[in-house]
Amino acid sequence: MLKPPLLKELSQIVGQANVFTDAEELVVYSYDATRVSSLPSAVVRPSSAQEVSDILRLANREQIPVVPRGAGTGMSGGSVPLQGGLVLSFERMNRILEIDEANRMAVVEPGVITGDLQRAVEARGLFYPPDPASQQFCTLGGNIAECAGGLRAVKYGVTRDYVLGLEVVLPTGEIIRTGSRTLKNVAGYDLTRLIVGSEGTLGVVTKIVLRLLSLPESVRTLAAFFPDVGSAAHAITAILSGKVVPRALELIDEGSLAAAGNYLKQDIAGGARAMVLAEVDGASQTTEREIAVVEQACREAGANSVTRAEEQADRDRLWKIRRSISPALYTIKPRKRSEDIVVPPARIPDILAQIQVIAKRHGLTIVNFGHAGDGNIHVNILLEDEEQSAAKLAEQEILAAVLGMQGSISGEHGIGFSKADYLPMETGAAALEAMKKIKRALDPNNILNPGKIFINAE
Ligand code: MLT
Ligand code: ZN
């Protein structure tokens, strides 16, 4: 509970209508896609960098935790107010401030929904490639906090590859600008890249300059169905070792297909045990040839059938299936541990085989889907309450296997609190200490999103 004089001060900063303390309101801002919930003391909705600065100065003075929040779609707990305090919600800072066609840039506030920006720039023949599965709900501020990846990373990279500059409020209240409106910039340390992916622990982003591309002239999509996940994985590596770079190359295993089928009430697989979804883009003649190359590789790897999505409606149907998998998995068991592993793409068949062995050893249901084209697989351990300790052991073994292949424990969801135990396994002690020194230098009172990334930032 915050004392009435503090609530009054907050109201003076953002207006009384933008400070929430009612229990029903607080619940709405207490959880993310991990389904872990922790109530804040208050929710504050700023409308400018100056208001954010005033809030952070107050929070520093009073030593109150502050947790920035976009749409709460994160997968690692980044926006969950674990230690209570203030949630800083960006729903009022949701304007697309500028689309600069001549320089192919957009300037936005952090509360803009990713899909809204995509549509706005596409209407002008431009393209914002990062495409998280939750793009219709998630915000660009949240994408920046976690360095979101998504479906098109295999060809176009991830959020950090499109951020040219930021306006950031430091935990101690200073408003800084990083980067510039240029494609090149080596003036001092790259603070933009430091902030992107820092999970709301180093600063609060209040304005974003994004790089845009030209909208590709043509897009071709196909779904290939396989008798087993091994041959689907080999199709992925065969495609990647050829000359075509698809813009999306997704693998969906039997369990994920079944879950999405339950959820959408349709038979997706028709008896197949794995699906590869591939999409190419570019000039019309090129995409026609490239999709044929991808189809050929799928058939040679053992696909029983291949369907091309000729119309936009067919494409939308396929991507709806893919985007529904994450929530659909809750129709199989009441809980899931969502992993976000990434390995060098050629190791996809090996890691999937190892995961199968680990699942069998622990008697667990593990399903896999995701961005196999860039090596990023969402491994989901589906469980009942009594399977928690077996799941934890299996998780440790999977992450150790990933690191043994020189992979990473998180490709795009971030560490949050859900992977904080495992971060030292990947970084080692000295790199972890270097990260903590940065945190302590920028946030000496540890008020900004405490308990995330590091179990203890001291
Ligand atoms: C996805 O690719 O669907 C998202 O990253 C969500 C998830 O992993 O569950
Ligand atoms: Zn994903």
Side-chain angles (χ1 to χ4, degrees):
M1 277 290 288
L2 292 180
K3 298 209 177 81
L6 277 183
L7 289 171
K8 191 166 168 215
E9 252 190 276
L10 288 169
S11 297
Q12 279 161 354
I13 297 171
V14 293
Q16 201 169 359
N18 295 302
V19 179
F20 302 151
T21 51
D22 289 350
E24 311 83 66
E25 307 262 30
L26 299 185
V27 169
V28 177
Y29 295 87
S30 69
Y31 61 92
D32 71 355
T34 59
R35 299 197 174 187
V36 171
S37 165
S38 173
L39 286 181
S41 304
V43 176
V44 186
R45 303 191 310 165
S47 67
S48 68
Q50 188 55 54
E51 290 183 4
V52 172
S53 166
D54 292 346
I55 294 163
L56 288 173
R57 285 187 199 278
L58 180 152
N60 253 297
R61 191 190 75 209
E62 302 292 330
Q63 308 264 309
I64 304 168
V66 176
V67 181
R69 180 183 180 90
T73 57
M75 302 290 301
S76 62
S79 62
V80 179
L82 276 190
Q83 300 181 15
L86 300 178
V87 161
L88 215 52
S89 177
F90 284 93
E91 60 226 86
R92 292 173 71 215
M93 292 180 70
N94 64 350
R95 289 174 304 162
I96 297 176
L97 299 171
E98 199 184 330
I99 296 174
D100 175 350
E101 294 180 44
N103 291 305
R104 292 188 196 182
M105 278 167 212
V107 184
V108 301
E109 292 183 319
V112 172
I113 305 285
T114 308
D116 288 347
L117 177 73
Q118 288 171 341
R119 278 184 290 277
V121 302
E122 282 170 24
R124 301 190 192 194
L126 295 168
F127 184 40
Y128 178 66
D131 191 35
S134 55
Q135 108 280 44
Q136 296 304 348
F137 324 100
C138 63
T139 64
L140 288 158
N143 293 175
I144 283 179
E146 302 301 328
C147 188
L151 304 167
R152 303 196 281 236
V154 58
K155 178 169 177 182
Y156 289 109
V158 297
T159 301
R160 73 161 71 85
D161 300 310
Y162 295 87
V163 184
L164 296 173
L166 296 169
E167 178 184 76
V168 181
V169 186
L170 296 179
T172 38
E174 300 89 340
I175 301 173
I176 64 166
R177 277 167 202 85
T178 74
S180 53
R181 292 177 70 131
T182 56
L183 294 178
K184 291 175 162 180
N185 179 332
V186 289
Y189 292 145
D190 191 344
L191 295 180
T192 309
R193 283 212 165 201
L194 178 63
I195 295 293
V196 177
S198 65
E199 307 194 36
T201 65
L202 296 181
V204 180
V205 171
T206 47
K207 202 180 286 177
I208 307 162
V209 183
L210 292 168
R211 174 180 166 226
L212 305 172
L213 305 182
S214 294
L215 189 63
E217 178 187 300
S218 138
V219 177
R220 296 270 185 283
T221 310
L222 68 69
F225 295 91
F226 292 83
D228 54 75
V229 73
S231 46
H234 283 292
I236 302 270
T237 52
I239 294 164
L240 291 173
S241 55
K243 290 208 172 86
V244 173
V245 182
R247 76 171 184 181
L249 190 54
E250 297 280 317
L251 182 141
I252 302 168
D253 78 356
E254 188 180 8
S256 310
L257 284 170
N262 278 344
Y263 191 70
L264 299 172
K265 308 207 178 337
Q266 52 178 271
D267 176 17
I268 297 164
R273 299 186 127 161
M275 174 162 103
V276 166
L277 265 179
E279 190 160 273
V280 297
D281 67 1
S284 304
Q285 305 92 317
T286 320
T287 53
E288 208 41 59
R289 186 178 50 74
E290 289 189 346
I291 202 71
V293 171
V294 172
E295 176 168 349
Q296 179 72 10
C298 288
R299 291 196 186 279
E300 283 171 8
N304 293 332
S305 71
V306 178
T307 316
R308 291 219 203 161
E310 300 296 350
E311 305 294 330
Q312 181 64 41
D314 303 328
R315 278 223 304 278
D316 291 346
R317 192 187 73 83
L318 288 175
W319 289 118
K320 184 171 176 197
I321 292 169
R322 166 61 186 84
R323 290 181 199 277
S324 72
I325 296 172
S326 187
L329 292 175
Y330 284 111
T331 62
I332 313 249
K333 291 205 180 186
R335 292 177 186 276
K336 63 172 175 169
R337 284 184 100 95
S338 298
E339 308 301 329
D340 174 39
I341 59 152
V342 54
V343 293
R347 302 302 301 269
I348 287 284
D350 302 337
I351 193 67
L352 289 174
Q354 286 211 30
I355 291 166
Q356 267 181 14
V357 171
I358 293 168
K360 206 162 170 198
R361 180 157 62 236
H362 294 283
L364 289 166
T365 306
I366 301 187
V367 305
N368 304 298
F369 70 94
H371 324 296
D374 57 46
N376 184 198
I377 295 283
H378 300 311
V379 178
N380 287 263
I381 309 174
L382 309 183
L383 62 151
E384 309 286 347
D385 282 343
E386 59 277 15
E387 293 173 308
Q388 301 264 27
S389 45
K392 182 92 187 158
L393 281 176
E395 179 176 66
Q396 284 162 4
E397 290 172 21
I398 292 167
L399 298 183
V402 164
L403 294 176
M405 294 180 187
Q406 298 184 50
S408 171
I409 62 173
S410 181
E412 59 176 14
H413 292 168
I415 298 299
F417 60 75
S418 65
K419 302 285 177 298
D421 283 349
Y422 300 117
L423 184 61
M425 267 168 77
E426 177 163 339
T427 60
L432 190 72
E433 183 51 26
M435 292 184 194
K436 288 185 180 181
K437 278 184 182 155
I438 294 171
K439 168 70 174 166
R440 290 195 293 262
L442 291 177
D443 186 11
N445 293 318
N446 194 23
I447 58 150
L448 199 54
N449 215 357
K452 308 296 167 61
I453 304 184
F454 317 108
I455 298 166
N456 177 357
E458 306 293 296

